[in-house]
Amino acid sequence: MSSPDREVRAARNGSARDSTTPTGRRPVVAVTGAARGVGALLTRRLAASEHIKHVVAIDERRGDVTEAQWHVLDVRDPAIAEKLRGADVVVHLALDLDLDTDAAARTAYNVRGTQTVLTAAAAAGVHRVVLCTSAMVYGAHPDNDVPLAEDAELRATAEATGVGDLLEIERLAKRAPRAHPGLNVTVLRPAVLVGGGTDTALTRYFESPRLLVVAGSRPTWQFCHVDDLVSALEFAALEKAEGELAVGCDGWLEQEEVEELTGIRRMELPSAVALGAASRLHRLGLTPSPAGDLEYTMHPWVVSGHRLHDAGWRPRWTNEEVLAELLEEAAGRHTVVGRRLGRKDATAAGAAGATVALLGTAALVRRARKARRRL
């Protein structure tokens, strides 16, 4: 599906950034997770903005934005309440969605961290908290509307990487204003995030020698560049939009368009084979991605983003441009069913094509069994 002209969208987005806050005053904004990833990009952007009075940066290590006031601590530490005192807005980005993190430890950090930040923000007199989850919380289903409205039911399950944590964060966001009257909670839900070294099961999909397509499925692809997510987070921090906000490129791409743009051919498998293999390999610890991740490459979960659009925000990137950047970042990497291959394995998979790549998963199983027998 085609996207609007980039120059027009860029002009709209730029004009939205130049406007003042609704209250006419410059807020003090605190950012958690400020030394890494999206948090570092947002901290730098806010520190350079004439519309922000001051930036409070919180992380477990100090970042390199010298204009911010840094506090080094774990977001689960109740002492964070004192560090947030005087802030008008908190943007909470201290989340761990790494594929290689132990699932129980990841949940303990993500959920407890969000609980602590919401409680501490209320205690410190902060009036707005901005959270970031993912459009994955809507779930990928064959009967989803294309696109989904922001108020569509959250029908995801906890079977995909980190989605259970994101759903719990969404529940905390709903409960917080009732538990803490006067606290406004805004939630951003980006589409497939790309850029800045983002590494997820969905970005790894494009590192495979063939694009796995489950027979009878209806894949649709919508991306969100990290620059656009940072821009939308700034927009929310400046109180120009609130509520649940979906973020992504305008429109979407069908699977056939993705294959044409990438030049990567498909490998089509029956659903039972694809899901069964993904489940078994994950149980054996041979791939980081559970079978639930595969659902997001099978069914649509495209979002409209109309609330941000209605408030005057526009993405600067198109789906086609983000996909091109994703391919540049993926160059030289080789992944089969979510597992990154070494150079030797990748050469074999590339030479023999998709069939050998699939058979390679069976080889991984045999290798793991032999290793266990030697112990």
Side-chain angles (χ1 to χ4, degrees):
M1 181 176 178
S2 61
S3 303
D5 181 80
R6 185 175 181 181
E7 291 185 3
V8 173
R9 289 181 289 104
R12 290 173 179 168
N13 197 24
S15 64
R17 283 192 63 205
D18 292 340
S19 61
T20 59
T21 62
T23 60
R25 57 188 294 270
R26 298 190 303 153
V28 174
V29 181
V31 180
T32 68
R36 50 203 156 97
V38 174
L41 295 174
L42 178 65
T43 300
R44 184 173 302 281
R45 185 182 182 109
L46 295 179
S49 173
E50 63 182 15
H51 305 302
I52 303 296
K53 181 178 181 181
H54 182 59
V55 179
V56 178
I58 298 172
D59 209 323
E60 292 172 44
R61 63 178 177 83
R62 186 183 179 88
D64 58 4
V65 181
T66 57
E67 298 86 352
Q69 177 186 353
W70 285 91
H71 297 291
V72 179
L73 81 165
D74 189 313
V75 291
R76 294 169 292 182
D77 187 340
I80 195 173
E82 185 58 35
K83 312 304 181 186
L84 297 179
R85 201 165 301 281
D88 300 294
V89 179
V90 175
V91 184
H92 177 50
L93 298 174
L95 294 178
D96 181 2
L97 298 175
D98 193 303
L99 288 169
D100 298 319
T101 301
D102 174 75
R106 182 173 57 218
T107 296
Y109 180 79
N110 291 338
V111 176
R112 181 59 181 166
T114 303
Q115 287 176 324
T116 303
V117 167
L118 287 168
T119 301
V126 174
H127 70 262
R128 179 183 293 257
V129 174
V130 179
L131 303 176
C132 186
T133 61
S134 168
M136 293 177 77
V137 296
Y138 291 107
H141 300 281
D143 61 344
N144 273 349
D145 291 336
V146 180
L148 289 160
E150 272 108 338
D151 59 0
E153 181 183 357
L154 304 189
R155 297 198 291 158
T157 67
E159 296 173 358
T161 304
V163 173
D165 296 358
L166 299 180
L167 288 169
E168 183 56 33
I169 289 170
E170 292 273 354
R171 285 189 280 270
L172 291 171
K174 283 287 187 186
R175 291 199 295 263
R178 296 194 295 270
H180 308 290
L183 182 66
N184 179 297
V185 180
T186 297
V187 182
L188 273 67
R189 299 167 179 164
V192 180
L193 197 60
V194 175
T198 303
D199 179 23
T200 66
L202 293 169
T203 59
R204 288 189 183 189
Y205 176 81
F206 294 92
E207 299 175 10
S208 299
R210 295 288 185 270
L211 297 179
L212 175 61
V213 176
V214 175
S217 67
R218 180 195 169 198
T220 54
W221 291 92
Q222 180 186 38
F223 301 100
C224 178
H225 195 277
V226 289
D227 290 349
D228 281 337
L229 176 57
V230 169
S231 169
L233 287 165
E234 179 190 31
F235 203 81
L238 290 172
E239 304 184 62
K240 298 175 184 176
E242 61 182 21
E244 294 79 31
L245 308 172
V247 191
C249 299
D250 292 334
W252 62 90
L253 298 172
E254 303 288 349
Q255 182 70 21
E256 292 76 14
E257 293 177 283
V258 167
E259 291 169 19
E260 181 179 355
L261 289 166
T262 62
I264 307 174
R265 289 181 290 173
R266 71 168 58 194
M267 173 177 59
E268 192 162 311
L269 291 176
S271 175
V273 173
L275 292 171
S279 179
R280 286 192 296 274
L281 290 170
H282 184 65
R283 282 201 308 272
L284 288 167
L286 298 176
T287 63
S289 300
D293 286 343
L294 195 56
E295 298 282 346
Y296 289 88
T297 71
M298 295 170 57
H299 308 302
W301 50 291
V302 170
V303 290
S304 71
H306 73 87
R307 288 180 179 168
L308 274 171
H309 283 219
D310 290 348
W313 180 90
R314 293 291 186 276
R316 297 181 67 102
W317 290 74
T318 68
N319 283 301
E320 293 86 351
E321 291 164 343
V322 179
L323 179 56
E325 177 155 323
L326 174 53
L327 292 178
E328 288 182 12
E329 290 192 352
R333 299 175 185 163
H334 302 274
T335 297
V336 174
V337 288
R339 180 180 183 271
R340 287 235 172 97
L341 302 178
R343 183 176 298 177
K344 183 177 179 181
D345 291 334
T347 301
T355 302
V356 171
L358 274 182
L359 293 176
T361 62
L364 293 175
V365 173
R366 289 195 298 271
R367 189 182 306 170
R369 287 173 177 167
K370 287 179 181 178
R372 289 195 185 102
R373 284 197 294 268
R374 287 196 296 268
L375 294 178

